[in-house]
Amino acid sequence: MKLDRGWMWLVLLLFLLAAAAVTAQEEDSEVVVADVDDDVEADDDIKALMAEDEKAKLIEKKSGKGKAREKAVKPNENVSFQVTYKTPVPTGHVYFTETFDDGTLDRWQMTKSVKEDAADGHNKYDGKWAVEQLKENKVSGDQGLVLKSRAKHHGISAMLEKPFVFENEPLIIQYEVNFQDGIDCGGAYIKLLSDSGDLNLEQFDSLTPYTIMFGPDKCGENYKLHFIFRHQNPLNKDFEEKHAKRADVDLKKFYTDKKTHLYTLVLNPDNSYEIFIDQSSVSRGNLLYDVVPPVNPPREIDDPNDSKPKDWDERAKIPDPEAEKPDDWDEDAPAKIEDSDAVKPEGWLDDEEEFVPDPNAEKPEDWDEEMDGEWEAPRIPNTACQTAPGCGEWKRPMVNNPKYKGKWKAPLVDNPNYQGVWKPHKIINPEFFEDLQPFRMMPIKALGMELWSMTSDIYFDNFILTSHKEVADRWASDTWGVKKLVASANEPGIFAQLMTAAEERPWLWVIYILTIGLPVGLVVLFCWPKKTEDTLYAYREIEVPQAEEEEEEEEEEDDTGEAAAEEEEEAATEGDAPGEATEEAKEGQEDLDGENLKEGDEDDGEEEEEEDEKEDDEGTVEENGEEESTGPEEAASDELKEEPTSDENQKQGVRKRRVRKD
């Protein structure tokens, strides 16, 4: 049976979708750490910066300070996927880098400030920090900064190698975060502290001036990725926070998958910005147009001293002053009236109440009539009303009153005095200014984290501040790229991931069943062989009732033997000559032998059967010497030649021969 083309295309589409999903999963699991130097040609400035950095490394090596960075880390037997990891070294000029691989926090300052706006007992920055490896998918030799306390204030900061000044070079901020135990409510953002001249890292707190705040934050079901910068009003010198628009992707998975994610912010001198997560862009915009509130205030504002005139008419429609209520308009007519055509149903019990006191109820022993009042038995449905149409006083049902029109109102017409919606006059904004270069922010002198979290073990690692995206990309390939490679190697197979996803989202089972069961069901439905009427008819034609034929052959042999015996007896009784009796017996025996031979060889073909009959007939003629005796048998042979080879005709031929023999 041919498969319908539409179903064939549907099955093919489903299989292609499944194959595409498997292929995408396999491609995602094979992470290749790209070498930026092979793909990106550094310009002359970057090459010069790299040369300076190499000189600095040689100086550190000679002085013995660079041993920790050059030391290769031995593989750890406890790591599920072994890689060769070396502490990364930036390939160009940077303003700040930190890997925490040396296991110390020598360059970092713990906050000793006290929050002035916090309640007693919650005003200290007493949260604990530690340098540790990841809990899962750890890379031997790689360590990071871990926030260890929950429900506490944490403060830590470090000075940049040199301040960053917003002039003609972009700023790239990049670091890693891993919510190892998930996150209930808390942040993992960083602050780039302003170079205010009196910056003291020991007193770093929530009130310390910062230039940029960037990073993930979550509380409840509100998942955020902050990018906030403080802009200074050129007129009054006040600072105002400007918030970038929300990311264009769903951020939830970055907080719940317990993987290390890379957060990157790129700020360009042309005021454009772009935010990346795991080197994929999630948001981009312009500091002039895509922040709230806007950097520049409106040129004109509503006049605060302007007010709407008393005779200002804002009504677009008014009641028609010339309309009059019709004389037959009855405002007092009720909306509902009794149905005059209603008839009380037969069997209505007027004297019965719908609810009656419970006869089995008894007054409680502690019932005090003075305190509780007179006791009354609780009421239960009246059993007499269960079979009747109703009980109690019958009332006619209420229907809509056809004469009801309600209170009359004049129809609305256009207001000839309509003046539109009043708006105050516009005046020049006295606080207007135009800053076309919001990129030129306050210089940055330090990097810090001032966090409150209800979840501990938040992992930070591999901070870098630079002016070259290529340097940050190479740094990411040497750090986050290795972590991603290890995590991908340790991930379960696609089927385990599908089962895990279905445990979190049970509705996925429906998709799995449709994806797998539908193609199988369609194949079984349309491709399974079935017996049609044509095939059954063919089977009926081919089948040969061999059992019936064998029974008929046996009956024929018995009849032939009985006929021969009777002939012999008749010959003996009549007193025929011995020669004639012997000849007749021989003739009967030969006929019997020829007939048996002919019946046994029917399967050999119609031609052989005819030849055997002819031979038997000729032998009979020669022995008897009489040509007339062969006539009937030749006629029978001719009839057999003309008859078809069907079962019924074969049976008829056998009967005819039997009759002739008799």
Side-chain angles (χ1 to χ4, degrees):
M1 183 175 181
K2 294 184 178 179
L3 188 65
D4 186 74
R5 292 185 177 180
W7 289 111
M8 291 179 62
W9 284 112
L10 177 60
V11 174
L12 181 61
L13 177 61
L14 291 173
F15 277 113
L16 290 177
L17 290 174
V22 175
T23 305
Q25 181 67 23
E26 292 177 352
E27 292 179 354
D28 184 66
S29 62
E30 297 176 357
V31 180
V32 180
V33 180
D35 189 353
V36 179
D37 292 342
D38 296 338
D39 300 332
V40 182
E41 296 182 358
D43 54 13
D44 296 338
D45 295 338
I46 296 179
K47 292 181 179 179
L49 293 172
M50 293 174 63
E52 293 178 2
D53 188 69
E54 291 294 335
K55 292 180 180 179
K57 287 194 292 182
L58 291 174
I59 295 174
E60 288 183 357
K61 185 176 181 180
K62 292 180 180 179
S63 61
K65 296 181 180 179
K67 292 182 180 179
R69 292 188 175 184
E70 295 181 355
K71 180 178 63 176
V73 181
K74 296 180 180 180
N76 189 349
E77 296 179 355
N78 297 326
V79 180
S80 57
F81 180 76
Q82 299 290 351
V83 295
T84 302
Y85 172 78
K86 292 184 179 180
T87 300
V89 178
T91 58
H93 178 69
V94 295
Y95 292 89
F96 181 82
T97 59
E98 180 59 84
T99 63
F100 304 101
D101 290 344
D102 57 2
T104 65
L105 294 174
D106 294 340
R107 66 186 297 185
W108 293 82
Q109 176 63 53
M110 301 292 181
T111 298
K112 299 179 180 179
S113 178
V114 177
K115 290 179 69 68
E116 298 179 357
D117 56 346
D120 294 340
H122 298 280
N123 57 355
K124 294 182 179 180
Y125 285 87
D126 54 355
K128 303 299 181 182
W129 299 89
V131 177
E132 298 176 351
Q133 286 187 319
L134 282 167
K135 291 183 177 181
E136 299 178 1
N137 301 318
K138 60 182 64 175
V139 179
S140 181
D142 179 59
Q143 300 187 81
L145 179 64
V146 181
L147 182 147
K148 299 297 296 181
S149 307
R150 61 181 303 274
K152 291 183 179 295
H153 294 284
H154 301 74
I156 192 171
S157 56
M159 289 289 186
L160 304 186
E161 296 178 5
K162 68 174 184 178
F164 178 85
V165 180
F166 293 88
E167 291 182 346
N168 300 320
E169 290 185 343
L171 173 64
I172 292 89
I173 309 162
Q174 184 172 277
Y175 71 106
E176 301 170 11
V177 176
N178 188 326
F179 297 103
Q180 301 184 92
D181 295 335
I183 184 70
D184 294 328
C185 184
Y189 47 81
I190 63 174
K191 290 183 178 180
L192 302 182
L193 306 183
S194 303
D195 186 6
S196 57
D198 57 350
L199 179 61
N200 183 0
L201 298 185
E202 289 186 356
Q203 301 301 318
F204 168 52
D205 58 14
S206 59
L207 301 179
T208 302
Y210 70 91
T211 301
I212 292 175
M213 187 172 81
F214 170 66
D217 187 16
K218 184 255 183 182
C219 197
E221 291 299 318
N222 190 7
Y223 299 89
K224 298 180 180 179
L225 180 58
H226 290 299
F227 168 40
I228 304 171
F229 69 94
R230 295 173 72 244
H231 179 263
Q232 187 177 26
N233 189 316
L235 299 180
N236 55 22
K237 305 302 180 181
D238 292 337
F239 285 90
E240 186 178 19
E241 292 182 349
K242 310 294 182 181
H243 297 252
K245 64 180 182 180
R246 295 181 64 88
D248 299 332
V249 298
D250 184 12
L251 301 174
K252 183 177 181 179
K253 62 180 181 180
F254 302 110
Y255 296 79
T256 57
D257 59 5
K258 299 182 181 180
K259 294 182 180 179
T260 302
H261 295 288
L262 184 71
Y263 296 87
T264 307
L265 171 64
V266 178
L267 284 175
N268 297 308
D270 62 354
N271 298 321
S272 64
Y273 71 86
E274 190 167 9
I275 300 174
F276 299 84
I277 300 181
D278 296 343
Q279 296 184 320
S280 296
S281 178
V282 297
S283 179
R284 64 175 63 187
N286 192 286
L287 301 179
L288 285 172
Y289 314 113
D290 300 310
V291 295
V292 179
V295 170
N296 296 314
R299 186 181 297 273
E300 294 182 344
I301 61 172
D302 294 337
D303 185 0
N305 300 321
D306 192 10
S307 60
K308 184 173 66 173
K310 295 182 179 180
D311 58 348
W312 189 276
D313 194 347
E314 293 181 339
R315 299 174 300 168
K317 297 284 186 178
I318 60 172
D320 186 359
E322 299 180 357
E324 295 181 357
K325 183 176 69 173
D327 297 335
D328 59 348
W329 191 283
D330 186 4
E331 294 183 347
D332 298 330
K336 297 282 186 179
I337 59 174
E338 291 183 352
D339 186 3
S340 58
D341 298 332
V343 179
K344 182 171 68 173
E346 295 183 1
W348 188 278
L349 304 178
D350 295 304
D351 299 332
E352 295 288 343
E353 296 182 359
E354 188 175 358
F355 292 93
V356 296
D358 186 0
N360 299 324
E362 296 180 359
K363 182 174 70 172
E365 296 179 357
D366 57 349
W367 186 274
D368 188 354
E369 294 187 356
E370 294 182 359
M371 297 292 296
D372 302 327
E374 184 180 358
W375 180 82
E376 293 181 358
R379 302 178 72 83
I380 60 174
N382 190 347
T383 56
C385 298
Q386 294 179 358
T387 57
C391 295
E393 182 183 358
W394 180 79
K395 295 181 180 180
R396 296 180 182 275
M398 305 296 290
V399 295
N400 293 328
N401 185 3
K403 298 181 179 180
Y404 172 75
K405 297 182 179 180
K407 190 173 182 62
W408 181 84
K409 294 181 180 179
L412 297 178
V413 296
D414 293 335
N415 184 5
N417 298 324
Y418 175 67
Q419 296 175 275
V421 179
W422 181 85
K423 295 180 180 179
H425 294 294
K426 296 289 186 179
I427 61 173
I428 300 298
N429 186 1
E431 298 179 354
F432 172 75
F433 64 86
E434 188 174 28
D435 183 2
L436 299 180
Q437 293 182 327
F439 172 78
R440 297 183 180 272
M441 308 174 193
M442 287 286 292
I444 299 170
K445 190 175 183 180
L447 181 148
M449 287 176 284
E450 187 264 326
L451 303 171
W452 165 273
S453 177
M454 293 300 295
T455 307
S456 60
D457 289 329
I458 302 177
Y459 179 92
F460 302 86
D461 200 5
N462 298 319
F463 294 90
I464 185 171
L465 269 72
T466 181
S467 294
H468 304 282
K469 185 66 166 55
E470 297 83 1
V471 175
D473 290 341
R474 179 57 185 268
W475 177 268
S477 67
D478 294 339
T479 55
W480 174 77
V482 177
K483 288 188 177 74
K484 186 176 182 181
L485 180 64
V486 174
S488 299
N490 293 335
E491 283 184 354
I494 182 172
F495 292 104
Q497 295 183 24
L498 291 175
M499 295 301 103
T500 303
E503 291 177 359
E504 298 178 357
R505 305 172 183 85
W507 53 267
L508 287 176
W509 286 110
V510 179
I511 298 178
Y512 296 165
I513 294 173
L514 291 177
T515 304
I516 299 174
L518 184 60
V520 175
L522 292 176
V523 171
V524 173
L525 179 62
F526 289 98
C527 296
W528 194 265
K530 295 182 179 179
K531 290 185 178 181
T532 61
E533 295 182 357
D534 297 337
T535 57
L536 291 176
Y537 180 74
Y539 293 158
R540 287 195 296 268
E541 286 187 345
I542 294 172
E543 290 178 355
V544 177
Q546 298 179 356
E548 295 181 359
E549 288 187 358
E550 292 176 356
E551 293 178 358
E552 292 176 357
E553 291 176 359
E554 293 177 356
E555 292 177 358
E556 183 179 356
E557 291 177 357
D558 296 340
D559 295 340
T560 306
E562 292 176 358
E566 289 176 356
E567 290 178 357
E568 291 178 358
E569 291 178 358
E570 290 177 358
T573 303
E574 294 175 357
D576 294 340
E580 295 178 358
T582 303
E583 289 179 359
E584 290 178 359
K586 287 182 180 179
E587 182 181 356
Q589 185 65 30
E590 287 175 358
D591 293 340
L592 179 62
D593 295 339
E595 189 68 17
N596 292 337
L597 179 62
K598 180 173 60 178
E599 293 296 332
D601 296 335
E602 282 183 350
D603 295 335
D604 294 337
E606 186 176 352
E607 295 179 357
E608 295 180 359
E609 182 180 1
E610 294 174 0
E611 292 176 359
D612 293 340
E613 291 178 357
K614 288 181 180 180
E615 290 176 1
D616 294 340
D617 295 339
E618 291 175 357
T620 306
V621 171
E622 290 177 357
E623 292 178 1
N624 296 334
E626 295 177 1
E627 295 179 359
E628 295 178 0
S629 62
T630 60
E633 292 186 0
E634 288 178 358
S637 176
D638 295 336
E639 290 176 1
L640 287 174
K641 290 180 182 179
E642 295 175 0
E643 290 294 329
T645 60
S646 63
D647 299 340
E648 185 175 357
N649 293 336
Q650 289 178 0
K651 296 177 183 178
Q652 293 177 358
V654 172
R655 294 191 187 97
K656 290 179 180 179
R657 288 196 298 273
R658 185 185 305 166
V659 171
R660 294 191 182 96
K661 293 291 183 180
D662 296 340

